Amino acid sequence: IEKFDDAEKAFKKYTELIPGDPNPYDSYAELLMKVGRFEESDRRYREALALSGMALPPLHPLRAELLRSWCRVLSVVGKPNEALARCDDAIRLFAQRRSDAQLDSDRTLVNRGLALSALGRAPEAINSLRDAVRGLTGHVPEHHPELLEAKRALSVVLVDQGQLDEGTQLLESVLAAQT
């Protein structure tokens, strides 16, 4: 807790020292997300994105990364429609930004799948999460936390949709990889 308090003070100070720079707001929002203060994280991501529109070129890498992280927070705070829109914005920016952005897009597809699931759009969520798992499988080791998270999320949606065998098998593979 002491380290969090120190980090929070540092990020608050950083935002005061460079008020027009979106990076400290992004970093602070990420810290808040990691400790479960999602409503505050949502506010900081909003500030960071607003600042990035004024301070950065439209295709700057930070804008797409902000959108990807923010869409995750929006899902958690019960704003799945906005989360889906931000995920789609991030994917568009990653696609325009550079040819090597596929890994970033695959990571965003996980967040997109979670938003679609929260909206009750399970078939689309399954497609998004399958695409994420396929893409991440080609870019990260099989024990990588992001790949395991994508597989776990897919397994939950599959089980919820009555695809018990596939969902259970996938979840068992995640649990085996974590041991």
Side-chain angles (χ1 to χ4, degrees):
I1 291 183
E2 184 177 316
K3 287 184 180 184
F4 168 76
D5 290 339
D6 291 344
E8 184 174 28
K9 287 176 188 172
F11 284 124
K12 282 182 178 180
K13 186 68 170 174
Y14 190 17
T15 61
E16 292 168 9
L17 292 173
I18 314 172
D21 185 347
N23 198 40
Y25 291 88
D26 170 47
S27 298
Y28 189 22
E30 186 175 339
L31 173 71
L32 292 166
M33 179 178 62
K34 287 182 178 181
V35 298
R37 290 169 52 187
F38 299 108
E39 293 288 342
E40 292 172 82
S41 178
D42 177 18
R43 284 192 298 278
R44 292 299 178 174
Y45 276 122
R46 277 184 205 285
E47 292 170 327
L49 194 61
L51 289 171
S52 75
M54 295 181 281
L56 302 173
L59 297 181
H60 193 281
L62 180 59
R63 289 182 57 79
E65 291 163 12
L66 274 168
L67 289 163
R68 178 184 63 218
S69 298
W70 188 24
C71 75
R72 177 55 153 273
V73 169
L74 289 166
S75 287
V76 173
V77 297
K79 299 175 183 175
N81 285 310
E82 191 176 358
L84 181 59
R86 297 301 74 82
C87 287
D88 289 344
D89 291 345
I91 290 168
R92 276 191 293 279
L93 280 177
F94 284 129
Q96 293 173 8
R97 191 180 85 200
R98 63 180 196 265
S99 60
D100 65 338
Q102 188 59 50
L103 178 58
D104 292 318
S105 292
D106 294 334
R107 289 175 172 141
T108 308
L109 286 172
V110 177
N111 296 347
R112 186 177 192 278
L114 294 170
L116 287 164
S117 180
L119 289 167
R121 294 165 57 182
E124 292 171 88
I126 289 169
N127 288 338
S128 186
L129 291 165
R130 282 190 200 282
D131 289 346
V133 168
R134 258 192 305 277
L136 290 170
T137 297
H139 290 99
V140 299
E142 73 178 69
H143 292 82
H144 195 279
E146 289 177 326
L147 177 57
L148 295 177
E149 177 191 5
K151 287 181 175 182
R152 184 207 52 78
L154 176 57
S155 72
V156 169
V157 178
L158 288 168
V159 168
D160 285 347
Q161 292 303 299
Q163 298 178 37
L164 300 177
D165 290 340
E166 185 181 359
T168 302
Q169 182 179 22
L170 191 57
L171 186 56
E172 286 173 353
S173 76
V174 169
L175 295 172
Q178 291 176 329
T179 58

